[in-house]
Amino acid sequence: MTLPHTMTALVQTADGYVDTATGPHVTDLAPYLEHRDLPVPQPGPGQALIKVHLAAINPSDIHFIKGEYGQPRIKGAPAGFEAVGEVVAGDTPLLGQRVSFYATGSGTWSEYALTDAATLVPCRPDLAEIDAAGLIVNPLTAMAMFGIVTKSETKSMVLTAAGSQLCKLLIALGRDNGVQPIGVIRRAAQAAELRALGAADVIVAADALPLDQVQAVMRDLKPTILLDAVGDQITADLFFAMPKNARWISYGKLSAQSPKLDKMGQLIFQNKSIEGFWLTQWMRQVGKGEIAKAFAEIQARYVDGRWTTDVAGIVPLSAAMTDLPPLLAQPDGKAFIDPRQ
Amino acid sequence: MTLPHTMTALVQTADGYVDTATGPHVTDLAPYLEHRDLPVPQPGPGQALIKVHLAAINPSDIHFIKGEYGQPRIKGAPAGFEAVGEVVAGDTPLLGQRVSFYATGSGTWSEYALTDAATLVPCRPDLAEIDAAGLIVNPLTAMAMFGIVTKSETKSMVLTAAGSQLCKLLIALGRDNGVQPIGVIRRAAQAAELRALGAADVIVAADALPLDQVQAVMRDLKPTILLDAVGDQITADLFFAMPKNARWISYGKLSAQSPKLDKMGQLIFQNKSIEGFWLTQWMRQVGKGEIAKAFAEIQARYVDGRWTTDVAGIVPLSAAMTDLPPLLAQPDGKAFIDPRQ
């Protein structure tokens, strides 16, 4: 295959970090990105070049382009972490194959992306592009965190920001494996969908927790795992309302609040604990076999319909600067960029 | 041995709990205790009656009589958890022997106390009464928590309220086992004593942390365990200043503050965690052999001088209602009650 010398991409206009923490929301991309041509990157040792079919957009992408994520921006490099595409060059036996991947070398909001060849995930032919585009960040996090839930032997788990794509995967995993999910959301409109998906109960907490409902559900379902993407005072109040041995596992920080620990005695006398989950750390700890097994299960779940991808919409790369912000503002579903258009 | 029918004790005047959290301080015992006669309790199956020689007073005793501890007060029952004495009746082969014990049946601020016979700790003849009186709450907690420190393989540990009797035991354990203790105290006057005892560094934090010193010591000694008896914002700030993999282990709550978690991302990206330690829970988890081994080491450490008991003073039971509060107000050393006077 002959590769072109240049490609089009959404390119970062700033380096490094900012000091703010405004969250994964954006109304205008112009301060962070520009749509322009640049040279197609060349794969180095151990790297693979992928022609991008479809890139899935996650909250972490928005955190990142704003300079608020755990790794620094690089001015002049394409943005975007996750995508599906075809391997077109590089140090890998997967040349010519369709793969899901997480870009570590050059971003996915681009016609071509670069990543570590060892991390490519070959896709089953019957896996839809829309599922393959976002096979890693949410699905692997869901599998990894649900592994913690299973190991803990709890019969129920609490999920904050339960309307997220990730939590929908977790709710389905709970439903299929006898762990009753309790979803906590801010907008009552999402409750019916989560119940239909398999949530045993849904708590609507716009500004404060409905305490009677919370106490009843904690008593009935006895959840001892709280998977938390928010990190606000409502999360802390939920944690302290949970039964003994409860573990608050933080994997995201959608809120800018600093939660107060106003019942610390529960850590001592009720054996409660607070910890974090980071997919990168998890991948370092587990073996390659466990990760490969997780990706096989992830693909099987999408193909047989136990998991589905909610699509908010697909924007052509050429129109993303204007069309992406309104798509991201939709309350439900995942946004994608198609760099072939 | 013929036992009397009645005894004198400091008896609780209220039941259950209060809603306050004012801490282990008391200026007047009259709202909580009265000095009076009551029948000598009779040991039931599995119980032992002990003639109390000397009772050691811990902060948890004061929490308890005020109704602010993790177990309910019982109106009409003697207060006091810990003591040394002679077994005078009950279901035990230790009849006539000197034992250290933690009272679960009837309190130790009394001529006679009642507890589970299985938990009696026989004392070496060369163990001083003053050491034997407080052999459990602080020393066993120190041994158990230092076991966590050793298992973590950290080379340094941070101790809040480092001037406490418990922390002095921990500092000596660190000194003797190659784990550098960093003591955090409120009163600069205690620093020299802690350094002499073996503290690698002492941080004086009256109202806020000295940030330059904290950053330097965290960088130099890399402590990953924080053993915390305070639970205030200074503790939280220390925790977030510690290196990655730091564990905040809460075993007490001297402060009424609710610390804010203002850097929750560290739980995710730096693998930090917050948990509790409760001796009762630890004793349920470990085997009897491990506890017996710990008590052998505890007694050896007191007898050979690696540990010493700082004595604030001993008050006769008959004068405790008036003389105990001023003794407890002394900044250093342990207070005792002698029920034989």
Side-chain angles (χ1 to χ4, degrees):
Chain A
M1 181 184 292
T2 309
L3 294 173
H5 293 289
T6 62
M7 63 181 187
T8 305
L10 297 186
V11 171
Q12 300 163 75
T13 56
D15 263 318
Y17 300 104
V18 294
D19 280 336
T20 53
T22 55
H25 315 287
V26 70
T27 51
D28 181 11
L29 294 175
Y32 313 112
L33 300 175
E34 60 181 336
H35 179 240
R36 67 168 170 85
D37 288 349
L38 72 170
V40 172
Q42 300 297 312
Q47 286 190 314
L49 184 72
I50 298 109
K51 179 169 170 53
V52 180
H53 293 175
L54 197 62
I57 300 172
N58 294 298
S60 53
D61 287 302
I62 309 304
H63 271 297
F64 175 75
I65 63 170
K66 292 169 80 175
E68 298 181 352
Y69 194 61
Q71 64 190 84
R73 296 175 292 182
I74 300 168
K75 186 175 172 175
F81 290 124
E82 201 173 29
V84 61
E86 182 190 337
V87 183
V88 291
D91 186 10
T92 165
L94 296 174
L95 261 180
Q97 289 201 35
R98 187 172 70 128
V99 294
S100 296
F101 66 101
Y102 187 89
T104 56
S106 181
T108 60
W109 299 357
S110 173
E111 291 182 89
Y112 294 88
L114 205 58
T115 195
D116 293 337
T119 63
L120 299 174
V121 182
C123 296
R124 286 168 57 153
D126 50 359
L127 182 71
E129 288 279 82
I130 213 85
D131 300 323
L135 208 65
I136 299 170
V137 176
N138 281 335
L140 193 60
T141 301
M143 292 298 286
M145 292 203 298
F146 195 71
I148 296 171
V149 171
T150 305
K151 203 171 164 187
S152 81
E153 299 185 354
T154 187
K155 294 294 174 209
S156 175
M157 60 184 174
V158 179
L159 309 172
T160 62
S164 73
Q165 298 305 306
L166 173 60
C167 283
K168 289 178 186 174
L169 304 182
L170 284 162
I171 289 170
L173 281 168
R175 171 199 70 199
D176 297 341
N177 293 279
V179 177
Q180 295 188 286
I182 301 166
V184 184
I185 53 176
R186 293 182 65 86
R187 296 182 301 113
Q190 286 185 307
E193 182 195 357
L194 299 188
R195 284 183 192 277
L197 201 55
D201 206 346
V202 177
I203 296 166
V204 180
D207 296 308
L209 283 177
L211 280 180
D212 287 349
Q213 183 197 0
V214 167
Q215 282 164 5
V217 71
M218 297 303 178
R219 192 176 54 235
D220 292 348
L221 301 183
K222 300 183 178 57
T224 58
I225 298 270
L226 165 60
L227 298 175
D228 171 43
V230 180
D232 62 357
Q233 194 58 43
I234 284 178
T235 306
D237 293 346
L238 275 169
F239 173 62
F240 289 124
M242 288 171 72
K244 64 180 181 178
N245 302 317
R247 289 164 64 188
W248 171 358
I249 301 175
S250 163
Y251 66 89
K253 188 75 177 85
L254 291 172
S255 166
Q257 277 185 12
S258 296
K260 282 183 301 186
L261 301 181
D262 55 6
K263 294 192 177 73
M264 281 200 70
Q266 292 192 2
L267 301 183
I268 304 173
F269 297 115
Q270 296 190 28
N271 191 36
K272 293 191 177 184
S273 60
I274 311 174
E275 65 203 274
F277 175 85
W278 187 28
L279 187 62
T280 305
Q281 174 75 7
W282 178 85
M283 290 175 75
R284 281 181 201 139
Q285 283 170 341
V286 303
K288 284 197 171 191
E290 186 161 346
I291 294 171
K293 203 176 128 193
F295 278 122
E297 171 70 9
I298 286 167
Q299 298 195 48
R301 292 188 66 90
Y302 279 116
V303 169
D304 66 22
R306 283 174 293 163
W307 276 351
T308 54
T309 300
D310 294 336
V311 181
I314 300 175
V315 295
L317 181 67
S318 57
M321 290 295 291
T322 52
D323 294 359
L324 192 55
L327 189 60
L328 292 170
Q330 292 195 17
D332 290 310
K334 212 169 174 66
F336 298 84
I337 291 175
D338 184 345
R340 296 169 300 186
Q341 298 183 53
Chain B
M1 181 183 291
T2 309
L3 295 173
H5 292 290
T6 62
M7 64 181 188
T8 304
L10 298 186
V11 172
Q12 300 163 74
T13 56
D15 264 317
Y17 301 104
V18 294
D19 281 335
T20 55
T22 55
H25 315 287
V26 71
T27 50
D28 181 10
L29 294 175
Y32 313 113
L33 301 175
E34 60 181 334
H35 178 239
R36 68 168 169 85
D37 288 350
L38 73 169
V40 171
Q42 301 297 311
Q47 286 190 315
L49 184 72
I50 299 109
K51 180 168 169 53
V52 180
H53 293 176
L54 198 62
I57 300 172
N58 295 298
S60 52
D61 287 303
I62 309 304
H63 270 297
F64 176 75
I65 62 170
K66 292 169 80 174
E68 298 181 353
Y69 194 60
Q71 64 191 84
R73 296 175 292 183
I74 300 168
K75 186 174 171 175
F81 290 125
E82 200 173 30
V84 60
E86 181 190 340
V87 183
V88 291
D91 186 9
T92 165
L94 296 174
L95 261 179
Q97 289 201 35
R98 189 171 70 128
V99 294
S100 296
F101 67 101
Y102 187 89
T104 56
S106 181
T108 61
W109 299 358
S110 173
E111 291 182 89
Y112 294 88
L114 204 59
T115 194
D116 293 337
T119 63
L120 300 173
V121 182
C123 295
R124 286 169 56 153
D126 50 359
L127 182 70
E129 287 279 82
I130 213 85
D131 300 324
L135 207 65
I136 299 170
V137 174
N138 282 336
L140 193 60
T141 301
M143 293 297 285
M145 291 203 300
F146 195 72
I148 295 170
V149 171
T150 306
K151 203 171 164 188
S152 82
E153 298 184 354
T154 187
K155 295 291 174 211
S156 175
M157 61 183 172
V158 179
L159 309 173
T160 62
S164 72
Q165 298 306 305
L166 173 60
C167 283
K168 289 178 186 172
L169 305 181
L170 284 162
I171 289 169
L173 281 169
R175 171 200 71 200
D176 297 340
N177 293 278
V179 177
Q180 294 188 285
I182 301 165
V184 184
I185 53 177
R186 293 182 64 85
R187 295 182 302 114
Q190 286 184 307
E193 182 195 357
L194 299 188
R195 283 182 192 279
L197 200 56
D201 206 347
V202 177
I203 297 166
V204 180
D207 296 309
L209 283 177
L211 280 180
D212 288 349
Q213 183 196 1
V214 168
Q215 281 163 6
V217 72
M218 297 302 178
R219 192 176 54 236
D220 293 347
L221 301 184
K222 300 183 179 58
T224 57
I225 298 270
L226 164 60
L227 299 176
D228 171 44
V230 180
D232 61 358
Q233 195 58 43
I234 284 178
T235 306
D237 293 346
L238 276 168
F239 173 63
F240 289 123
M242 288 171 73
K244 64 180 181 176
N245 302 317
R247 289 164 63 188
W248 172 358
I249 301 177
S250 164
Y251 67 89
K253 188 76 179 85
L254 291 172
S255 166
Q257 276 185 11
S258 296
K260 280 183 300 185
L261 302 182
D262 55 7
K263 295 193 177 72
M264 281 200 70
Q266 291 192 2
L267 301 183
I268 303 173
F269 296 114
Q270 296 189 29
N271 192 35
K272 294 191 176 184
S273 60
I274 311 173
E275 64 204 275
F277 175 85
W278 187 29
L279 187 61
T280 305
Q281 174 75 7
W282 178 84
M283 290 174 74
R284 282 183 200 137
Q285 282 169 343
V286 303
K288 285 195 170 190
E290 186 161 345
I291 294 171
K293 203 175 127 192
F295 278 122
E297 171 70 8
I298 286 166
Q299 298 195 47
R301 292 188 67 90
Y302 278 116
V303 169
D304 67 21
R306 283 174 293 163
W307 276 350
T308 54
T309 301
D310 295 336
V311 181
I314 301 175
V315 295
L317 181 68
S318 57
M321 289 296 290
T322 52
D323 293 359
L324 192 55
L327 188 60
L328 291 171
Q330 290 194 18
D332 289 310
K334 213 169 172 66
F336 298 84
I337 291 174
D338 184 344
R340 296 170 300 186
Q341 298 181 55

